[in-house]
Amino acid sequence: MCALYAGMAMAATEVSNFNFDWKFKLGAVQGAEKVDFDDAAWTPVDLPHDFQINMPWAEKSSRSRGFKEMGEGWYRKTFTADPAWKGQRVRLDFEGIIAWGDVWVNGVKAGGATAGYLGFEIDVTKLLRYDRPNVVAVWSTTGENGISRWYTGGGIYRDVHLMVGPDKGFARHGVFVTTPKVSVDEAEVAIQVDLEGFKGDTNEVSVTAVVKSPEGTVLGETKGSVCRSNLNHPELKLPVLRVSKPKLWSCETPFLYTAEMKILYLGKELDRRTQRFGIRRVEFSPEFGLKLNGVKTTFRGVANHHDLGALGAAAFRRGIVRYVRTLKRFGFNAIRTSHNPYSSNFMDVCDEEGILVVDEFSDKWSFASGSCMCSRTPFPEMWYHLLPEWVRRDRNHPCVILWSFGNELQCWDKTSGFQTDDWGVTTYKLMNVLQKRYDPTRLSTVAQYPAAENAVHWKDPENQGLSKPSPLLCATEVASQNYMPEKYAHFKELHPGLILFQSEASTSGLLGPALKMDEAKTVGYAYWGAVEYWGESDKWPKKGWNYSWISHALQPFPQAWLLKSYQTPNDSVAKIGVEVGPEVKEIWNDMVVGQKKVLSLWNFAEGTMLKRIYVYSNAEEVELIVNGVSAGVRKPMKTHDWEHNVAHWDKIAYGKGGSIEAIARTGGKEVARDRIVTAGSPVTIEIECENASDWAADGMDLEFVNVYAKDAAGNRVPTAMDEVSFEVSGAATLYATDDGDHSTAQVFNVSKRQMHHGFAQAILRAARTPGKVALRVSSPTLGSQTVEFTTLRP
């Protein structure tokens, strides 16, 4: 069996990784669910797996869903049941099948996914065979185009676990740890356990819980018991524990404690769970917006869809880690999971890295099948089944500070839930009651846009720019308004009790959206599409949203440093950006979106007159030096608009063979500097390995290897378009390659790429045993290099 999965609540008996040794076939396959079906010619795959990301790009397909054809596919896995499982309960836990799917075990339909963004559990105890191999077959579909407004991916895109344990014990997501009172001196830890299998049982069931510090020191123990219950899932609240001088979870100090629970039944230990949690206090108020542990905190976030660049929708932990760490590098401390629950390991990573999360349940509350959660059932028929699974799954994560039930419901009345003629207010209240049943500790919200009072569009001329907020905005516990920060003060005048959160902010406004609201009295902001994602393209050949500051390969554009200059004010910043193309502006969702094409580039034709040079800086002044000659000193503007922390110089002539340099000064002293040189012709490559020192040999971990073209002087060449090839040997495989081009014509499961902006990337997947790995990077024009790794025992 494989190692227990990090961050998940564990059973006493084994929870093992069921991701390996599957086979896959794209398309409809007659009889694939049958045990004796011949799958010898199918493609071997390990999970997680997104079958759609490597389907060809298709111009005539939906731009919303990333110019990919819709499709279906089949997975099969053959395994042997361990005789030790006899007498135990055996379950399969699927964390997600997108858009939905069905599961057969030994030819018997055993269950399936109603909606793609949440998991489900199948009891296979009575379906197993111990005298011959067992077969699990899974059918998955992307659904039709209309079921989603963005790229979803397809297949078993999240982890699958095999769970073997007693038929009585802890219920699914059956541990709930809260911290009702928190101070720097003492914290209360309250533990509730939900049991199953004991209905009508007259024997005493005892539960003991031990709390351990982040270092593993035992801090205390609490006990409780149930003598009899006729409930399917009796809930036992244990006596509160007190922790002295707690280490508080925050964005800067994400300390995680552990609660270890065990059930005693008939004098013996029956079941065991381990649950991580954080000790922190979250407060919302119209007076201060958000406080974490008593300190005013601004939610400085992004709102993106769930894909991970070349990985597609496949939820690899390492891909999530590098995504989160890239955001933190530029001062972001938060993520809104637009518009669906992200993977469990995403929440684990946010716990560990100190990222605040607005955890979102759905997009629209629609009567049309699938148009809210990638589901095959209309929203009103299934939300009350799925919401408890969502809340119970995520409620122990300290990163989750707010539940969000939906997004932009008020486009038309049929997308706002039950037809109660209040555009979602009644539906919200019902959902809020159900959420509080399973987690009374957190508030809830719904992201609003575009309707105002009486379902009138906020841009309607009759409103004269003074729209009244929608009734749903006023009904939610936290008032999440997409865009419109310039109206927040007016909303507060009308409704002083509103706790406002800018749940989507436009990247085209740069720092403007953050600065136009009263940060001291607002929760914060979440920039829409700050990182490129697949789908929601405005035109071919763009494969997705790219009005962003960070590429889908997590290569930052110069504007990312502008955000850093604001979000990390104690770090002095100076970053040059050269405007290299016309500004793009589009009307999207009734908002002006777009971007100026700005790059870190100083390679142009001799005599080119550059329209504008930007320097993004939080210093008092910046001097620009072009080819050794000062072009003057500018003070970065403090306009509370898009020009905030921006200095610029117009009509700068390019001189071949030179350089451009920005020197930022505060109080007359240099505090930051940036320099770009004219690169020569590319002659060689530079290889950068992102996580070679902790690459685990668990079959799941990835190594990201970045390759850059360099000239004879060692400068990176951002204009290089050379072809590179990747060859891997040893204890890993080549999983994908990328070049960061969001208009790429290539898919990602190829070994050869053309560089984009002098960049290419290889993604390697470790084998399940430690060993040596060699990656050879070769190019017809740049030569070849080999880098060696050693994967580590997990």
Side-chain angles (χ1 to χ4, degrees):
M1 289 293 178
C2 300
L4 296 179
Y5 193 69
M8 185 179 174
M10 300 301 176
T13 46
E14 294 187 53
V15 177
S16 59
N17 189 321
F18 206 63
N19 285 341
F20 304 120
D21 302 321
W22 291 77
K23 290 187 173 184
F24 174 74
K25 179 68 173 178
L26 182 65
V29 182
Q30 190 71 28
E33 77 280 5
K34 297 179 180 178
V35 175
D36 58 357
F37 182 87
D38 184 4
D39 58 18
W42 287 22
T43 302
V45 297
D46 293 328
L47 308 179
H49 180 249
D50 174 4
F51 69 71
Q52 195 179 31
I53 192 64
N54 286 309
M55 293 171 64
W57 306 106
E59 183 176 359
K60 293 183 179 180
S61 293
S62 168
R63 62 186 177 90
S64 295
R65 297 189 67 178
F67 291 109
K68 295 286 188 179
E69 296 286 354
M70 301 302 104
E72 61 186 293
W74 281 87
Y75 297 83
R76 286 171 56 90
K77 178 181 171 75
T78 301
F79 69 102
T80 301
D82 188 333
W85 299 350
K86 292 181 178 180
Q88 304 266 17
R89 186 183 180 198
V90 183
R91 289 166 289 171
L92 290 176
D93 177 22
F94 287 81
E95 290 197 14
I97 301 175
I98 199 79
W100 57 79
D102 294 312
V103 180
W104 287 260
V105 177
N106 293 327
V108 178
K109 191 172 182 179
T114 298
Y117 293 115
L118 286 168
F120 61 97
E121 187 178 287
I122 296 175
D123 189 333
V124 300
T125 307
K126 296 180 180 180
L127 300 176
L128 292 180
R129 308 183 305 190
Y130 291 89
D131 58 344
R132 53 199 151 153
N134 296 271
V135 176
V136 177
V138 178
W139 168 80
S140 172
T141 177
T142 63
E144 298 300 320
N145 276 332
I147 70 158
S148 179
R149 298 187 296 113
W150 57 87
Y151 177 80
T152 62
I156 312 176
Y157 73 122
R158 294 180 181 172
D159 293 323
V160 181
H161 299 96
L162 177 72
M163 304 185 296
V164 183
D167 57 2
K168 300 174 182 283
F170 293 101
R172 178 173 175 83
H173 310 311
V175 175
F176 185 26
V177 184
T178 60
T179 52
K181 295 182 180 179
V182 176
S183 73
V184 295
D185 297 316
E186 185 179 72
E188 293 183 353
V189 178
I191 300 173
Q192 173 186 302
V193 295
D194 304 345
L195 307 175
E196 67 178 356
F198 297 100
K199 184 176 181 179
D201 197 320
T202 58
N203 297 295
E204 183 179 63
V205 182
S206 300
V207 178
T208 300
V210 172
V211 171
K212 292 184 177 180
S213 71
E215 297 77 24
T217 303
V218 174
L219 301 177
E221 181 179 279
T222 181
K223 300 179 181 180
S225 62
V226 175
C227 292
R228 181 176 179 177
S229 175
N230 285 323
L231 297 174
N232 291 323
H233 300 102
E235 298 170 348
L236 174 60
K237 296 182 178 180
L238 303 180
V240 170
L241 274 171
R242 288 174 172 79
V243 175
S244 179
K245 302 294 183 183
K247 293 185 174 181
L248 303 185
W249 186 95
S250 71
C251 298
E252 298 74 30
T253 60
F255 292 114
L256 293 172
Y257 287 73
T258 304
E260 296 179 352
M261 285 71 56
K262 62 181 179 181
I263 297 174
L264 297 178
Y265 179 70
L266 299 178
K268 296 181 180 180
E269 181 178 313
L270 178 66
D271 204 359
R272 184 183 290 267
R273 289 283 171 94
T274 299
Q275 180 63 59
R276 298 191 312 183
F277 67 96
I279 297 177
R280 89 286 190 269
R281 184 171 80 255
V282 176
E283 301 170 87
F284 291 93
S285 166
E287 299 303 317
F288 55 73
L290 168 67
K291 284 185 179 180
L292 183 61
N293 302 323
V295 178
K296 165 60 184 175
T297 301
T298 299
F299 187 103
R300 304 191 189 281
V302 302
N304 260 59
H305 292 306
H306 67 139
D307 68 71
L308 295 167
L311 304 179
F316 282 95
R317 179 184 172 86
R318 179 66 71 175
I320 297 164
V321 167
R322 67 189 295 267
Y323 178 89
V324 164
R325 289 179 178 173
T326 299
L327 292 176
K328 291 206 77 171
R329 175 186 170 194
F330 291 97
F332 292 100
N333 65 4
I335 295 170
R336 173 186 167 213
T337 68
S338 311
H339 303 293
N340 49 262
Y342 283 15
S343 61
S344 293
N345 56 4
F346 179 90
M347 298 299 174
D348 291 338
V349 170
C350 290
D351 285 345
E352 296 159 8
E353 299 291 332
I355 290 286
L356 305 175
V357 173
V358 171
D359 198 350
E360 195 149 276
F361 180 55
S362 179
D363 186 25
K364 309 294 184 281
W365 301 341
S366 176
F367 278 78
S369 295
S371 61
C372 49
M373 288 192 71
C374 274
S375 62
R376 51 180 154 189
T377 305
F379 180 85
E381 298 175 17
M382 58 84 179
W383 69 267
Y384 51 90
H385 296 293
L386 295 176
L387 191 142
E389 166 72 13
W390 168 57
V391 172
R392 286 165 60 87
R393 189 198 74 168
D394 290 349
R395 61 187 176 177
N396 289 305
H397 290 285
C399 66
V400 177
I401 62 168
L402 183 66
W403 302 111
S404 176
F405 298 153
N407 173 69
E408 296 182 355
L409 313 169
Q410 299 180 325
C411 298
W412 56 91
D413 57 358
K414 290 188 177 180
T415 62
S416 56
F418 296 109
Q419 301 299 283
T420 50
D421 207 30
D422 55 9
W423 279 47
V425 172
T426 299
T427 303
Y428 164 75
K429 290 180 178 179
L430 291 171
M431 297 174 76
N432 192 46
V433 168
L434 189 56
Q435 174 248 303
K436 295 297 189 290
R437 164 68 181 88
Y438 295 105
D439 175 23
T441 71
R442 292 177 178 88
L443 301 184
S444 66
T445 190
V446 176
Q448 312 283 311
Y449 187 83
E453 190 177 61
N454 295 321
V456 177
H457 195 289
W458 71 273
K459 283 190 173 182
D460 191 298
E462 294 184 8
N463 286 330
Q464 298 180 347
L466 294 174
S467 305
K468 294 181 180 180
S470 71
L472 182 57
L473 188 79
C474 301
T476 53
E477 293 172 326
V478 172
S480 295
Q481 178 68 58
N482 292 351
Y483 314 110
M484 302 168 57
E486 67 280 357
K487 294 186 178 291
Y488 292 0
H490 175 62
F491 288 176
K492 292 275 280 190
E493 288 176 5
L494 296 173
H495 301 277
L498 289 180
I499 304 171
L500 281 162
F501 167 45
Q502 191 176 174
S503 39
E504 287 180 22
S506 174
T507 55
S508 64
L510 298 180
L511 293 180
L515 293 165
K516 287 179 180 179
M517 65 185 197
D518 183 355
E519 186 175 299
K521 295 185 177 182
T522 309
V523 172
Y525 52 83
Y527 274 102
W528 182 260
V531 182
E532 292 177 342
Y533 61 82
W534 306 120
E536 292 196 295
S537 168
D538 54 5
K539 66 185 71 172
W540 177 269
K542 288 166 46 178
K543 306 310 189 299
W545 180 273
N546 75 333
Y547 299 133
S548 308
W549 300 319
I550 300 171
S551 78
H552 69 256
L554 299 186
Q555 298 290 297
F557 301 117
Q559 295 96 325
W561 275 267
L562 175 60
L563 270 291
K564 181 177 177 64
S565 76
Y566 176 68
Q567 296 182 149
T568 61
N570 294 328
D571 296 336
S572 297
V573 173
K575 186 66 177 179
I576 300 170
V578 180
E579 191 170 335
V580 297
E583 181 177 7
V584 176
K585 286 188 176 181
E586 304 279 353
I587 300 298
W588 183 277
N589 200 15
D590 295 313
M591 294 291 299
V592 176
V593 300
Q595 192 176 53
K596 293 182 179 180
K597 189 172 183 180
V598 177
L599 298 176
S600 294
L601 176 68
W602 199 240
N603 277 66
F604 300 96
E606 183 72 22
T608 298
M609 184 64 69
L610 296 162
K611 179 181 178 182
R612 181 167 286 185
I613 309 293
Y614 296 96
V615 176
Y616 306 117
S617 180
N618 49 12
E620 291 178 356
E621 63 180 32
V622 178
E623 182 178 11
L624 187 70
I625 299 173
V626 181
N627 298 329
V629 178
S630 177
V633 176
R634 301 280 191 274
K635 293 182 181 295
M637 295 180 231
K638 305 296 179 184
T639 60
H640 288 260
D641 207 328
W642 72 269
E643 293 183 311
H644 193 91
N645 282 3
V646 178
H648 63 80
W649 290 256
D650 294 339
K651 296 183 178 179
I652 296 294
Y654 171 75
K656 186 176 181 181
S659 66
I660 185 169
E661 189 167 16
I663 303 172
R665 301 183 181 95
T666 296
K669 295 182 179 180
E670 180 181 330
V671 293
R673 181 185 291 248
D674 188 30
R675 185 169 185 261
I676 310 173
V677 303
T678 297
S681 299
V683 297
T684 188
I685 55 177
E686 173 192 353
I687 299 177
E688 175 189 81
C689 305
E690 290 191 2
N691 52 282
S693 63
D694 64 344
W695 188 15
D698 60 0
M700 298 293 296
D701 202 5
L702 304 176
E703 173 68 45
F704 287 78
V705 182
N706 301 321
V707 178
Y708 302 92
K710 298 185 76 173
D711 66 12
N715 302 307
R716 291 182 179 176
V717 185
T719 56
M721 301 175 64
D722 299 72
E723 181 183 277
V724 291
S725 297
F726 300 93
E727 183 180 351
V728 178
S729 60
T733 55
L734 181 64
Y735 185 82
T737 63
D738 196 5
D739 54 23
D741 181 5
H742 219 54
S743 295
T744 183
Q746 285 188 283
V747 291
F748 304 102
N749 59 346
V750 295
S751 61
K752 186 181 296 184
R753 297 203 82 83
Q754 183 178 355
M755 285 183 160
H756 179 67
H757 294 318
F759 166 80
Q761 184 180 75
I763 305 172
L764 283 59
R765 183 170 184 168
R768 284 175 271 173
T769 54
K772 301 288 185 180
V773 178
L775 169 65
R776 183 174 184 266
V777 184
S778 59
S779 168
T781 53
L782 304 178
S784 65
Q785 291 185 31
T786 299
V787 60
E788 295 184 346
F789 313 83
T790 300
T791 58
L792 307 175
R793 189 174 301 280

